[in-house]
Amino acid sequence: MMMALNGLVVSSLFAQLQVGDPVSIDVTLPACDSVAVVETGDLPLRVLPLTQANSRSATRRAFTFEVALYDTGSYVIPSLGVVPFRNGIPLDTVWSGSRPVEINSTLDDTTTTPRPIKPYAEHPLRFADLLREYWLWLVGVIALAALVFAWRKWMRRAKSGVAIAAPPPLPPADLAVRELIALRDKRYPERGLLKEHYSEFSEVMRRYVEGRYEFPALEMTTYELATEFRRQELPACWREVLLPILRESDLVKFAKEIPTLGSCAAILETGFALIEQTKPTQDTAEASKAA
Amino acid sequence: MDADIRELTLRIEREAEIADRILTEAGKVVVGQKYMLERLLIGLFSNGHVLLEGVPGLAKTLTIKTLAATVSAQFQRIQFTPDLLPADLVGTLVYNQKDGNFTTKKGPVFANFVLADEINRAPAKVQSALLEAMQEQQVTLGEKTYPLPQPFLVLATQNPIEQEGTYPLPEAQVDRFMLKVKVDYPRREEEARIMRTFSRVDQPKVSAVATADELLRIRAMVETIYVDPKIEEYVLDLVFASRQPEQHKLPELKPLIQYGASPRASIFLIKAARAHAFLRHRGYVVPEDIRAIGMDVLRHRIGITYEAEAEEVSTETIVEKIFGAVEVP
């Protein structure tokens, strides 16, 4: 929409401009050969080359301006004068009135509501696209899963096979008797291996105590065993019979004590007797099972 | 028993009387804390330095001072502070204006017993100077190297609380202490005795009951105490269990241990076990000796992971588990 203003027609949007907006001003003049623009004051418009002109006989001319201010705010466009020339003689100058304008920023106001610099890109996630992209991986994962499944199944089968084949564990007393018999059959003392004889005897008895009373006797020193016997209030035979043998055994093992062949045989007999004396009877075994 | 071991045991029974004298004399002033006193004697007899850790007021300093007083030897106490310099410890060269030469001024480290009180309050360079002297048993001032007097024993204390403004000893330097003893509160009846003893005006005093030469003689004897190969194997099992727990029926410790005990641990386990056997009047080491000193030798030589810290698993717990899993010979 155009409006006439003292002979000048100015765009109605003139009042709400943004930086860089082009502005057209149509000028209605008497018939003339040429025109000159008279600028007054600081015009916030840059005069662009004449973009449209009528023939010499025409009376309307169009000038294009561009907002040349890059600071937003309120401005006043001063009067703009156009001098028509006919045969080289200037005619009366046509003046526009001054006019307030509002220059707005070209950027949006981001102080109130934040928004991304760029618009969100739309990427619809579709299974078909994924499949096309990663089908090789998918095949690999399925193959790996199948392998793991097969391996686990095989392991379970192997384990169950072992469990069936394993014999039931011997009661501690039976095991200890077997081990003492085996130790006797090794005939260590006769071969001069006294230390080995005492070491194995000590180990067998500790293992029996561990299995019989369920405390880690194998990882205990003689002193700690003595303390544990007292703490658990075990039969006196352990303190009175086994502890002296273990102490003697410590001397043989760690202090180069040389026992006689007789004492080597005697500790074996004492071991058999101790196991016989302390092994659980049927009543105590049932009681402990019930517990 | 082997004749040599029997003879050694007899000699030890005679010489151990000196240790008993020291313990009795120190007991006049130090109430309770028998464990700490024994550990200090183990350090004394096996030429290993001792680090005591405990909250303030547990008689750490008093015990060390008392022990030093029972032996007629030079004693120096150094209070470690943030502004302490290495020269304040080892000594320095002083310019003599009269003759224009430099004279050597030896520091307090030149003593038989050095009490490094609150060792973690001094910066790293001072700690390094002391720990180097501990390791090398000598100090270099200028261009000359001076051997430290023998016996030379460093007894250090540190406080586990009030970590603000302290310089914790690096692992490599803590490793030089043979034993790290954690001092605990006394029992109720012991505290009652402490209260009565130290609230009197006339406080008990100790006198020297042993000489430096006697200590050197005991040290030489301790070194001859018999250690059976089975005991050596046991020590190696313990140390290797701290390095490769999964191979010693302790897979659950694997993620908790950052680094295991160093070879120094094996050396010190044997040395300390010998001294412990000496205190028990024996000429040979038994597994009990290893068990008795194991915790104090190993607790500062095993590094724990962040996972262990998060689960509040201490090195003491780890050492206990190792001792509980490794078979006694």
Side-chain angles (χ1 to χ4, degrees), chain B residues 212-232:
Chain B
D213 286 343
E214 281 175 325
L215 285 187
L216 291 176
R217 204 170 66 223
I218 290 176
R219 275 190 186 178
M221 188 178 286
V222 165
E223 280 173 17
T224 60
I225 287 178
Y226 176 68
V227 180
D228 195 81
K230 273 180 176 287
I231 298 285
E232 290 174 350

Side-chain angles (χ1 to χ4, degrees), chain A residues 195 199 202-203 206-207 216-225 250-258, chain B residues 1-2 5-6 226-231 234 249 284-288 291 323-329:
Chain A
K195 198 169 170 178
S199 296
S202 161
E203 205 176 311
R206 281 167 200 267
R207 193 176 298 120
L218 275 170
E219 287 80 29
M220 285 182 171
T221 63
T222 308
Y223 177 77
E224 286 166 342
L225 268 179
D250 280 352
L251 285 177
V252 176
K253 285 192 286 183
F254 311 123
K256 298 184 184 174
E257 169 101 342
I258 301 168
Chain B
M1 200 185 304
D2 182 66
I5 297 174
R6 184 172 294 126
Y226 176 68
V227 180
D228 195 81
K230 273 180 176 287
I231 298 285
Y234 181 49
K249 299 182 285 182
Y284 54 92
V285 173
V286 292
E288 264 111 29
R291 294 292 276 259
F323 272 113
V326 174
E327 256 183 46
V328 173

Side-chain angles (χ1 to χ4, degrees), chain B residues 233-268:
Chain B
E233 286 297 319
Y234 181 49
V235 166
L236 290 175
D237 281 347
L238 291 170
V239 171
F240 273 78
S242 76
R243 296 179 200 162
Q244 296 148 351
E246 71 281 5
Q247 291 177 16
H248 292 80
K249 299 182 285 182
L250 290 165
E252 72 275 13
L253 291 189
K254 174 87 176 157
L256 305 179
I257 298 176
Q258 192 182 10
Y259 57 87
S262 66
R264 269 206 193 109
S266 315
I267 298 167
F268 283 145

